[in-house]
Amino acid sequence: MNFKRLTALAVATVIGAGAFWASQPAVAQAEDEMFIPLMVYRTGPYAPNGIPLADAFQDYLKVLNERDGGINGVKMTWEECETQYNNDRGVECYERLKNNGPTGAAAFFPFSTGITYALIERATNDKIPVFSMGYGRADASDGRVFPYVFTSPTTYWAQADAMINYIAQQEGGYGDLDGKKIALVYHDSAYGKEPIKTLELLAEEHGFKLTLHPVSHPGLEQKSTWLQIGRRVKPDWTLMWGWGVMNATAIKEASAVGYPMDRFIGVWWSGSEVDVRPAGDQAIGYKAGNFHGVGQDFGVVQDILTHVYAKGQGTGPEDQVGEVLYNRGLINMFIITEAIRTAMGRYGDKALTGEQVRWGFENLNIDQATLERAGFDGMMKPIQLSCTDHEGGGQLLVQQWNGSEWEVVSDWIEPNGDLIRGLYEASAEQYANEKGIALDRCTS
Amino acid sequence: MFYREAGQFKATYAADQAIFPILQDKIGIAIILAIAFGVIPAFASDYFLSSLMLPFLVFSLAALGLNILLGYCGQLSLGTGAFMACGAFFAYKITTAFPELNIIFVFLLAGAGTAAVGVFFGLPSLRIKGFYLAVATLAAQFFLIWMFNKVDWWTNFSPSGVISAPPREVLPGFAVTGSSATPVDRYYFALGVVCVLALLAKNMVRSRIGRTWMAIRDMDIAAEIIGIRPMAAKLSAFAISSFYIGVAGALWAFVYTSSVEALAFDINRSFQVLFMVIIGGLGSILGSFLGAAFIVLLPIIINQAPAAVGIVMDTALLGHIEFMVLGALIIIILIAEPHGMARLWQIGKEKLRLWPFPH
C-alpha cells in the first residue's frame, strides 16, 4: 500500500469515526443517579500533580457508593474528561459534560485557575456551581456578585494574609515585621500574580519590604532569580506561588545559594510530595501552606483503604493514598457531596440540578459532628457558608518536609477577616460594575 | 467525470474572472455555505457550536492570516500568538474605553492596530529572510506577551491580569459577547466575520497585490527587476496578515472564551497556527480551513471516538493515544503530501476529472 492510499485511508477512518461519534445519542441514565463531572489532567506538563487528585475524586465517590450506598440512597455516577491543564480543552470538557446524567452536572471543579476564569460566566449562565477550592478568582468569595462560584475553604488572598500572620508569629508579633524583608517568588501568570495586591497592602500596613521575583513558565530557569535573592536581596522570609516543575527547581536553587529552608514557605500548590522529592535532601526543612491534614490517620482514608483498595477497586496506587494532593482531592469531593446532601434536605432524595446544588452550597454547614460522621475529623476545619460568604474561614496550616513526609508545624492560622473581606468586596464590586450586575441579591 | 468542464464556456470577462469558474465548485461552495449558515445552527447542539465550531472558525481566520504572510509572501513568522494577543487586548481597551462603539468597529480597529504593530515587526523583513526573519519575529512574540502581562493598564488593572469580555451587541437584541450571548449568535457572528474576510483574502491573492506577494515569494530579486517594490509588497503582507490575526485574537477572547490572560497567546499558539498552515497547505485559502480542522477538531474526535463506539478506556491512556494518533497522522500526511491537505484535495479533483477513465 503506498503512502497516498494510506493517507486517504487514515483520513477516511477519522472522518468516519467522527461522523459516527457525532451521531451517537447521549447514554440514558437512571433517575436516581447523581452525575458528577470530573475534569482531570492525567497527561501533559502537570500530570504528576493531576493524577493523585483525579484518583482521590474517584476513590471518594466509590467509598460513598460502597459504604453508604451513595448520598441518602442516591448513587453517584461520574465521568472523567482530560483537560491537559489547558484552558481551551477545559472549556471543551465543560461543554461536553454539563448536560450528562438525568439532571445535568452537579458542580464543576477544574483545578486550574485559568479554566476557572473561563468557566465563571458560562456556568453562571447555565446555573451550575463552580467549586474552586483554594484557587481561581479570590473575589468570587463575594456571593452577591458571583452566585455560582464557591471558593471554600480559602483563597490566595486569605492565604497570603495568613502566611504573613504566621511570619509575624514567628518573629514575635506584627510589630516586629517593621523593616523586615519578604520576597515573593511567583509563577508569572494569572495564578502567580493573585497574592501581590494583598501582600503590597500588608507591606504598607506592617512596614515590611516586599520584593517581587517573577519566574516565567515553566520555571526551569531560576538561577538569576535565586542569585538575586541569595546574594543581593537577602530577605528574612521568602514566599513562593509556584506550580509543577517550578517548585522542585526553586527548592534546589534556594539550597544552592544557601537560603535557609525553614524561612522559605510555598503556597499549598507548592507543597506536595512531587515538589519536594525531586529535590532530595536539599528540601529538608522547606515549609508550605495547606488547609488540610496529610497522611493516612483519618477515618475516611481508612474507610477508603478497607472499602475500596482492599477489594481491588482502587483507582491509583495504594501508596499514594494519604499524600497531600490525594487528601486535597478527598476534601474537594467531600465539600461537594455535603453540599448535595444539604440540598437534598430541601429538595428531596433524588438527583438534583446544578441550581439546587448551589442552594446546598450556600446553606452548607460542615460542623464538627459532620466531620466526625464522615471521617474528616482533624483533617479540616468546620466550614459554614452563606449567601454573601462563599469562602467560610480561610484558615491555614503550615507544614514542613522532614525528608520523608510532611509534618504539620503550626496551629490553624486565621487571616485578618475584615481586611480580606474588604478586598473581595472592592474587587467584586468593580467586576459587577463592568458587567452591569446588581448587588442586591442577598438582601432581597 | 465529476469535474468535467466540457461545455462550460466563458463568454464575458466577468465569467472569466469569477472566483469559482467551474459550475461544480460553485455548487459545492453553495452547499457548504448552506450547511454552515442553515443546517449547523438549526440542528447542532450547543456543545458542537461553542466547543468545536467556534475555535475552528477562529483558528481558520488566524491560519488564513499567517497563510497570507507565509504561504503567499514567503515571510516566515513566529509571532502569530503575539499578534492574536494584540487583537484581543486592543479590542478590550477600545471597548472598555468606548462602550457605545459597535463591536464590529471595535474588532476592525483592533485589527488595524494589530496591522500597525505587524508592520513595525515586519520591518526586519526588508533586510533578512527565511529562518533569520522567523527569529526576528520571535522578538514580537516575547516582547508583546511580556508587555501585556506586565503593564496593568492593558487589563484595566485587574489583579490577576485576566481580561473578561464585557457584554456587547452587534444589533439590538443580537448579543455576541458576554454571558447573555447564545452559542448560535456567537457562531453566526464568527462565521460572518470569517466568511467576509476569507472572501476578501481569496480576491486579494488573485489580484495585483497577491501577485506581487507571490512574485516576492518565488524569487525576490527577479521580482524587483520586473518592477515590484519589495518594501511595499512585504510590508503590505505583514499588515494584512496581522489584521487577520488580530481579528482572530479578538474573536478568540471575546466570542469564544470570554476571558483570557496574555499567556494564552504564548509561543505554543504561534506554533499551533504555523502547523495548521503547513499541514493544511501553504498558499491556499482552503488549506487554512483544513489545517485548522485538523489541529483543532481531530484531537477532540480522537479523544471521544472510543467512548462513542462503546469502548471504555482509562482517561490517561486515552490522552496518550490522542497524542500518538495525532503525531502519526501528521507524519503520514507530510510524507504523503508535503504540500499539505489542500494539495491532496487538488489531486483528488484532478482524479475526479478523469474518472472513470484514467490514462
Side-chain angles (χ1 to χ4, degrees):
Chain A
M1 193 185 277
N2 67 18
F3 252 118
K4 288 225 168 81
R5 214 174 272 174
L6 197 66
T7 319
L9 195 72
V11 171
T13 315
V14 167
I15 291 172
F20 187 81
W21 150 86
S23 66
Q24 284 292 303
V27 185
Q29 273 164 313
E31 273 293 318
D32 56 348
E33 288 183 342
M34 177 92 233
F35 175 72
I36 299 196
L38 307 179
M39 281 196 192
V40 300
Y41 32 104
R42 291 177 181 276
T43 60
Y46 298 105
N49 303 79
I51 291 169
L53 286 169
D55 291 342
F57 297 158
Q58 287 205 32
D59 283 346
Y60 190 68
L61 292 172
K62 281 176 186 167
V63 82
L64 267 186
N65 281 350
E66 271 298 306
R67 185 188 64 189
D68 314 339
I71 302 176
N72 299 342
V74 180
K75 287 256 184 195
M76 300 284 120
T77 60
W78 58 89
E79 190 177 326
E80 282 193 348
C81 183
E82 172 70 34
T83 68
Q84 298 166 9
Y85 199 75
N86 177 328
N87 291 358
D88 322 340
R89 291 300 289 271
V91 171
E92 192 265 320
C93 279
Y94 168 82
E95 294 287 343
R96 195 197 298 184
L97 296 179
K98 71 178 182 189
N99 290 324
N100 280 19
T103 53
F108 278 91
F109 37 101
F111 272 87
S112 146
T113 293
I115 300 177
T116 308
Y117 267 93
L119 291 189
I120 286 176
E121 258 189 28
R122 284 167 195 266
T124 306
N125 243 13
D126 296 331
K127 299 193 188 305
I128 300 172
V130 172
F131 180 46
S132 54
M133 183 182 71
Y135 55 90
R137 196 176 172 123
D139 60 1
S141 308
D142 186 344
R144 299 174 304 161
V145 181
F146 297 93
Y148 280 89
V149 189
F150 295 87
T151 56
S152 177
T154 180
T155 67
Y156 294 130
W157 299 0
Q159 187 185 31
D161 189 24
M163 277 185 172
I164 297 298
N165 190 347
Y166 173 76
I167 292 173
Q169 283 175 20
Q170 300 295 305
E171 294 284 352
Y174 273 115
D176 293 321
L177 281 182
D178 201 11
K180 291 278 187 301
K181 277 189 281 189
I182 298 179
L184 173 69
V185 180
Y186 64 98
H187 190 261
D188 199 2
S189 66
Y191 150 65
K193 284 194 271 193
E194 280 282 342
I196 293 176
K197 286 237 161 117
T198 314
L199 290 173
E200 280 174 346
L201 197 77
L202 290 166
E204 219 169 280
E205 194 171 313
H206 300 301
F208 62 84
K209 188 171 177 296
L210 179 72
T211 57
L212 300 174
H213 305 272
V215 173
S216 54
H217 175 85
L220 286 169
E221 180 41 66
Q222 300 178 36
K223 275 235 147 41
S224 58
T225 306
W226 285 96
L227 282 175
Q228 206 185 0
I229 290 175
R231 304 266 186 274
R232 293 234 319 270
V233 183
K234 294 186 180 155
D236 298 281
W237 292 85
T238 300
L239 303 178
M240 174 162 74
W241 250 249
W243 183 224
V245 286
M246 173 183 161
N247 296 333
T249 314
I251 293 167
K252 283 186 215 162
E253 296 291 348
S255 155
V257 296
Y259 192 81
M261 275 298 149
D262 56 349
R263 295 187 153 250
F264 182 19
I265 312 178
V267 68
W268 51 61
W269 303 115
S270 305
S272 68
E273 283 79 2
V274 290
D275 301 319
V276 284
R277 281 205 186 115
D281 286 347
Q282 293 168 312
I284 292 178
Y286 168 70
K287 289 176 176 170
N290 205 342
F291 53 86
H292 55 77
V294 292
Q296 296 195 342
D297 303 333
F298 302 103
V300 60
V301 179
Q302 290 304 318
D303 281 354
I304 286 173
L305 290 174
T306 39
H307 289 282
V308 180
Y309 280 85
K311 292 180 184 163
Q313 308 270 315
T315 317
E318 193 169 341
D319 56 3
Q320 250 176 26
V321 174
E323 288 192 351
V324 173
L325 288 169
Y326 185 89
N327 283 4
R328 191 161 303 155
L330 291 184
I331 289 205
N332 181 75
M333 235 37 242
F334 172 60
I335 295 176
I336 288 174
T337 48
E338 286 308 310
I340 294 172
R341 200 188 294 275
T342 308
M344 281 178 181
R346 170 165 173 179
Y347 297 103
D349 298 339
K350 56 178 173 122
L352 301 175
T353 63
E355 200 174 357
Q356 291 165 336
V357 174
R358 188 193 72 86
W359 187 90
F361 265 112
E362 283 204 338
N363 294 279
L364 185 66
N365 183 9
I366 298 181
D367 53 12
Q368 193 57 32
T370 315
L371 290 178
E372 278 165 21
R373 167 178 58 75
F376 281 88
D377 183 25
M379 194 152 147
M380 60 186 283
K381 286 277 271 189
I383 301 170
Q384 186 166 9
L385 301 184
S386 70
C387 179
T388 47
D389 182 11
H390 283 194
E391 182 190 17
Q395 297 94 343
L396 177 82
L397 283 175
V398 174
Q399 56 183 14
Q400 192 170 27
W401 180 250
N402 69 6
S404 58
E405 60 180 11
W406 287 102
E407 286 171 1
V408 174
V409 293
S410 78
D411 289 333
W412 287 101
I413 301 164
E414 300 277 342
N416 177 353
D418 294 342
L419 175 100
I420 298 297
R421 193 76 218 161
L423 285 176
Y424 292 155
E425 285 179 359
S427 174
E429 277 161 19
Q430 190 194 336
Y431 178 87
N433 194 20
E434 259 178 42
K435 299 273 179 178
I437 301 171
L439 292 169
D440 55 358
R441 194 178 75 87
C442 294
T443 50
S444 52
Chain B
M1 187 176 98
F2 292 109
Y3 265 90
R4 189 174 296 154
E5 293 158 66
Q8 300 188 22
F9 301 111
K10 296 169 191 120
T12 59
Y13 284 115
D16 196 36
Q17 291 174 352
I19 300 184
F20 302 106
I22 306 173
L23 181 68
Q24 289 89 332
D25 281 348
K26 280 185 194 140
I27 296 172
I29 285 290
I31 292 174
I32 290 174
L33 286 179
I35 292 175
F37 277 98
V39 179
I40 290 180
F43 295 103
S45 62
D46 284 358
Y47 167 69
F48 188 80
L49 286 179
S50 59
S51 296
L52 300 179
M53 289 315 288
L54 275 180
F56 163 66
L57 288 171
V58 173
F59 271 121
S60 298
L61 192 59
L64 202 56
L66 185 62
N67 221 333
I68 288 173
L69 186 66
L70 176 59
Y72 286 99
C73 196
Q75 309 296 309
L76 187 50
S77 162
L78 287 178
T80 318
F83 295 139
M84 283 178 84
C86 278
F89 281 86
F90 288 177
Y92 178 72
K93 283 308 285 187
I94 293 169
T95 196
T96 48
F98 308 102
E100 300 305 317
L101 196 61
N102 191 289
I103 193 78
I104 292 183
F105 292 106
V106 172
F107 279 24
L108 289 179
L109 283 175
T114 313
V117 176
V119 168
F120 178 76
F121 282 99
L123 286 175
S125 71
L126 305 177
R127 286 294 185 87
I128 50 181
K129 44 188 172 180
F131 294 119
Y132 302 95
L133 180 64
V135 175
T137 55
L138 264 186
Q141 179 64 47
F142 291 128
F143 171 75
L144 290 168
I145 297 304
W146 171 84
M147 182 182 72
F148 291 127
N149 203 9
K150 201 51 78 186
V151 183
D152 286 349
W153 181 79
W154 288 107
T155 60
N156 285 354
F157 305 98
S158 137
S160 49
V162 175
I163 58 171
S164 161
R168 293 285 181 269
E169 294 176 335
V170 174
L171 299 166
F174 189 77
V176 292
T177 69
S179 56
S180 54
T182 64
V184 174
D185 289 352
R186 287 168 193 259
Y187 170 76
Y188 269 125
F189 181 67
L191 184 66
V193 171
V194 171
C195 282
V196 169
L197 288 180
L199 185 71
L200 273 176
K202 181 82 188 168
N203 277 318
M204 235 174 328
V205 298
R206 304 184 315 136
S207 67
R208 187 190 60 81
I209 187 164
R211 288 173 204 285
T212 61
W213 292 340
M214 286 184 269
I216 290 285
R217 172 192 68 189
D218 292 340
M219 191 184 266
D220 50 355
I221 293 177
E224 207 173 343
I225 288 169
I226 59 169
I228 289 168
R229 284 177 300 145
M231 187 168 91
K234 284 178 179 175
L235 291 186
S236 65
F238 263 99
I240 290 164
S241 154
S242 308
F243 178 86
Y244 275 65
I245 295 169
V247 173
L251 276 179
W252 175 272
F254 276 63
V255 179
Y256 173 46
T257 59
S258 290
S259 86
V260 74
E261 61 172 314
L263 288 189
F265 299 109
D266 66 356
I267 183 115
N268 288 326
R269 195 67 72 204
S270 302
F271 284 132
Q272 217 180 356
V273 179
L274 182 65
F275 298 154
M276 283 174 197
V277 173
I278 292 173
I279 293 169
L282 286 166
S284 153
I285 302 291
L286 173 71
S288 311
F289 287 91
L290 294 177
F294 185 89
I295 299 279
V296 178
L297 302 183
L298 200 59
I300 298 173
I301 293 176
I302 297 171
N303 195 276
Q304 295 191 26
V309 296
I311 303 169
V312 179
M313 211 183 268
D314 185 50
T315 319
L317 179 64
L318 200 58
H320 295 302
I321 286 178
E322 180 192 317
F323 289 131
M324 286 189 289
V325 172
L326 189 71
L329 278 175
I330 290 174
I331 294 172
I332 291 171
I333 288 182
L334 286 183
I335 292 178
E337 188 46 74
H339 296 292
M341 294 164 81
R343 177 79 184 134
L344 278 178
W345 169 236
Q346 211 176 359
I347 293 169
K349 274 204 315 197
E350 304 281 315
K351 301 229 174 203
L352 286 174
R353 186 169 283 159
L354 299 172
W355 190 83
F357 305 115
H359 48 72

